């Protein structure tokens, strides 16, 4: 199933373009269009914003899992899988595993381009491994939620709409500006939503900024979201596979 989804991604020009081009466009936009107007304290804005862009792109990439699953359901391929001697969870696991691999590749592209533009991380190899592990956990959690949304939607268009929250949450976090600069109510929301501790953990690992309790919160949020997404996806897949 993983190989099947990887081949579908390679053979889909629009998916490849979105996977590779979108992170590059977002990075260039925030560095060169908005960067000159941003004041995040000491250091260059690109050093502050790159961890946030990595998580934003991971959200975009994970959201495509919902559409892929909705397409499989609408095309009737699930009926063929039911007639084969495979585990019921194989289809979902294949989609989620492909999402994690694809987004890690995208993360590498964003980091390489960011370094070329002036991003200067201070992390040692161990901290790089830690940052990639946190990103992988975040992608895994979002991919399971996206899988559940793809099963909940009745068509690929609806699945695409359901994933809007993936694109919204990083904007109301510490991804692009410190949360202290936000109005009181918005500041409280930004501080207590799942994306902010993940971003702060990745930023701390890559740039050496204080992490505090963000690492514990990031792991807890990712584990909780992944568990809920996995359970919901299994229940919804059983219903869709048996009732259509």
């Amino acid at each position: 199933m993983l190989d099947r989804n990887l081949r579908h991604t390679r053979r889909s020009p629009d998916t490849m373009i979105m996977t590779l081009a979108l992170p590059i466009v977002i990075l260039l936009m925030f560095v060169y269009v908005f960067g000159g107007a941003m004041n995040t304290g000491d250091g260059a804005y690109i050093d502050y914003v790159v961890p946030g862009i990595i998580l934003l792109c991971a959200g975009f990439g994970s959201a495509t899992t919902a559409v892929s699953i909705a397409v499989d359901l609408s095309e009737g391929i699930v009926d063929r899988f039911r007639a084969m001697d495979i585990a019921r969870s194989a289809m979902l696991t294949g989609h989620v595993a492909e999402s994690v691999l694809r987004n890690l590749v995208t993360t590498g592209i964003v980091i390489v381009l960011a370094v070329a533009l002036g991003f200067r991380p201070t992390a040692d190899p161990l901290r790089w491994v830690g940052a990639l592990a946190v990103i992988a956990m975040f992608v895994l959690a979002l991919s399971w939620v996206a899988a559940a949304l793809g099963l909940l939607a009745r068509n690929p268009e609806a699945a695409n709409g359901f994933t809007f929250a993936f694109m919204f949450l990083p904007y109301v976090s510490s991804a692009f500006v410190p949360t202290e600069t936000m109005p009181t109510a918005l500041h409280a929301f930004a501080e207590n939503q799942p994306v902010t501790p993940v971003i702060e953990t990745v930023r701390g690992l890559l740039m050496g900024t204080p992490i505090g309790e963000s690492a514990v919160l990031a792991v807890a949020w990712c584990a909780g979201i992944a568990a809920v997404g996995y359970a919901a996806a299994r229940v919804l897949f059983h219903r869709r596979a048996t009732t259509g």
Side-chain angles (χ1 to χ4, degrees):
M1 287 297 176
L2 172 59
D3 179 65
R4 168 184 177 265
N5 291 316
L6 288 172
R7 282 187 281 113
H8 282 185
T9 298
R10 291 195 302 268
R11 295 172 182 175
S12 176
D14 54 340
T15 301
M16 291 299 293
I17 290 173
M18 290 297 291
T19 299
L20 298 177
L22 184 61
I24 295 174
V25 171
I26 292 175
L27 177 61
L28 293 174
M29 180 177 66
F30 274 96
V31 171
Y32 289 115
V33 177
F34 302 125
M38 298 295 188
N39 181 14
T40 57
D42 296 333
Y45 181 64
I46 189 172
D47 291 333
Y48 181 89
V49 79
V50 167
I53 290 177
I54 290 173
L55 272 296
L56 177 64
C57 295
F60 275 110
S62 301
T64 62
T65 304
V67 178
S68 299
I69 290 177
V71 169
D72 277 352
L73 291 169
S74 65
E75 291 180 348
I77 190 67
V78 176
D79 293 331
R80 291 188 60 190
F81 293 154
R82 289 173 60 194
M84 299 170 64
D85 187 20
I86 60 175
R88 280 182 172 269
S89 60
M91 174 188 158
L92 298 180
T93 304
H95 277 289
V96 171
E98 186 273 337
S99 174
V100 173
L101 291 176
R102 172 167 41 83
N103 280 284
L104 288 178
V105 171
T106 303
T107 297
I109 293 172
V110 172
I111 291 173
V112 169
L113 178 61
V115 170
L117 296 177
F119 178 52
R120 295 295 178 263
T122 60
D124 56 28
L126 185 60
R127 284 178 170 262
W128 272 106
V129 172
L132 292 175
V134 172
I135 294 168
M137 285 191 297
F138 181 73
V139 173
L140 179 65
L142 292 190
S143 296
W144 276 116
V145 173
L149 293 176
L151 291 162
L152 188 64
R154 288 297 173 180
N155 54 64
E157 292 75 18
N160 190 45
F162 284 169
T163 58
F164 173 76
F166 288 10
M167 307 172 212
F168 173 74
L169 281 178
Y171 290 102
V172 191
S173 70
S174 62
F176 305 111
V177 295
T179 57
E180 292 78 10
T181 64
M182 300 177 183
T184 304
L186 198 59
H187 168 74
F189 175 80
E191 282 290 315
N192 295 284
Q193 58 119 318
V195 177
T196 293
V198 178
I199 290 174
E200 290 302 315
T201 302
V202 173
R203 183 178 288 129
L205 289 170
L206 295 182
M207 301 306 306
T209 57
I211 296 178
E213 63 180 10
S214 293
V216 175
L217 291 173
V219 173
W221 271 114
C222 289
I225 293 171
V228 171
Y230 174 78
R234 289 294 300 270
V235 171
L236 290 169
F237 183 72
H238 176 73
R239 292 179 180 176
R240 291 295 296 269
T242 55
T243 63

